[in-house]
Amino acid sequence: MANHHSRGHGFSNMPSHIDHPGHHNHSPARDHGRAFVIAIALNAGFVVVEFGYGFAANSTALMADAGHNLSDVLGLALAWGAAILSHKAPSERYTYGLRSTSILAALANAVLLLVACGAIAWEAFQRFSQPPLVAGLTVASVATAGLLINGLSAWLFLKGSKEDLNIRGAFLHMATDAAVSAGVLVSGVAILFTHWYWLDPVISLMVVTVIMFNTWGLLRDSVQLALSAVPPHIDIVAIEAFLRNQPGVTDVHDLHIWGLSTTESALTVHLVMPDGYPGDAFMDNIRNNLESHYAIHHSTLEIEQGTISHYCPVSTGSESIDLR
């Protein structure tokens, strides 16, 4: 039996046979530090302004939006912290580094959004029985500023949101805030001309619906990654077929794929090859194909000759699960 680890970590006390020419290190995700600084500064300042004007204008929608913006500032701080920690080098205790903090941050951001939804909905329902007078012009003016700030903040994270779940969490915070501000703007203008003050809690509940709809995907994906599920963009069936079709491979078992972070994936697998270890070049070719064609950034391949039976200890449960 031969064991080939596809990538070295550079630990001084680890055997040198895992380091091979052409192997590459874990590359950090794109740095969004500047975007985080700008977005956090803009939104933190706006929270103070918006809450003050919301209190003065007696607007639930405006104060609720300020509370939601505050949760977004905390969410952005979490996402930024995770992005920084994910760049930390591996250690003897954290052999994959702290990449998985980005998964925890994405999950925390989803929970923060849902908590904010609950707070907004509760306050809105409280106001239905006796809608207060609302200063429509003030509400509309502040909401316009919020729409511009949140729209700019969302734009800063737009590109990264397509490839990083952690950045997607930050983007959703800002995008939903822009939607909230747009809704508050509409309610402010409508109240200004109609004096229908009940529109304020109605718009608040509509905003809650939008936020919850956009948050569900983030919550689902982050929970799946936290449970070491196969990332949604990876086709495990195609990967298994690719491995089975390699020259000399007669069987494949113990195939596991999970997310190292919100941008990187790992794989371990046992390949049954009766002729024995095929050489480093063969293994490197498999690894390179797994990375370039199947988005597997870290692969560990174990070779067996099939002379004895093996089983996967974690695959002996009573029934399989599929949480989609």
Side-chain angles (χ1 to χ4, degrees), residues 3 5 15 20 32 42 45 83 90 126 150 155 195 232 267 271 286 293:
N3 186 5
H5 193 294
H20 296 282
H32 292 82
L42 287 175
Q126 295 285 80
N150 292 318
W155 176 78
H195 301 294
L267 171 151
L271 304 178
I286 292 180
H293 298 298

Side-chain angles (χ1 to χ4, degrees), residues 9-24:
H9 290 276
F11 298 153
S12 60
N13 62 338
M14 294 190 71
S16 60
H17 73 272
I18 65 173
D19 295 310
H20 296 282
H23 285 193
H24 50 281

Side-chain angles (χ1 to χ4, degrees), residues 119-319:
I120 295 172
W122 174 259
E123 185 62 28
F125 277 120
Q126 295 285 80
R127 293 215 169 189
F128 264 119
S129 58
Q130 204 169 22
L133 298 178
V134 177
L137 180 59
T138 301
V139 171
S141 300
V142 177
T144 299
L147 179 59
L148 294 175
I149 290 174
N150 292 318
L152 173 61
S153 300
W155 176 78
L156 291 172
F157 296 109
L158 177 60
K159 186 175 182 179
S161 68
K162 300 175 183 177
E163 55 193 31
D164 186 339
L165 190 65
N166 185 38
I167 302 303
R168 178 179 156 197
F171 168 76
L172 279 178
H173 271 292
M174 297 298 95
T176 52
D177 267 358
V180 169
S181 296
V184 174
L185 172 60
V186 170
S187 71
V189 172
I191 289 171
L192 180 63
F193 289 101
T194 65
H195 301 294
W196 293 347
Y197 300 113
W198 52 265
L199 282 174
D200 189 68
V202 168
I203 293 295
S204 297
L205 292 177
M206 291 174 62
V207 164
V208 165
T209 303
V210 171
I211 297 173
M212 292 188 67
F213 179 80
N214 288 326
T215 302
W216 173 249
L218 175 65
L219 179 64
R220 179 198 61 221
D221 292 345
S222 57
V223 167
Q224 288 177 348
L225 284 179
L227 294 175
S228 297
V230 178
H233 63 283
I234 290 179
D235 188 345
I236 189 172
V237 175
I239 289 176
E240 182 172 356
F242 163 75
L243 294 172
R244 289 184 181 278
N245 288 331
Q246 296 306 301
V249 175
T250 60
D251 194 17
V252 172
H253 65 93
D254 286 17
L255 173 59
H256 301 288
I257 302 174
W258 69 98
L260 286 174
S261 69
T262 51
T263 58
E264 298 171 294
S265 302
L267 171 151
T268 60
V269 67
H270 291 208
L271 304 178
V272 178
M273 304 186 72
D275 294 333
Y277 183 65
D280 290 357
F282 178 88
M283 305 296 281
D284 285 346
N285 181 63
I286 292 180
R287 177 190 60 78
N288 290 332
N289 275 282
L290 286 173
E291 181 163 15
S292 60
H293 298 298
Y294 300 101
I296 301 296
H297 304 89
H298 187 292
S299 53
T300 302
L301 314 173
E302 183 170 320
I303 303 302
E304 300 170 357
Q305 291 184 287
T307 55
I308 59 176
S309 297
H310 294 88
Y311 71 94
C312 178
V314 301
S315 301
T316 58
S318 59
E319 57 183 70

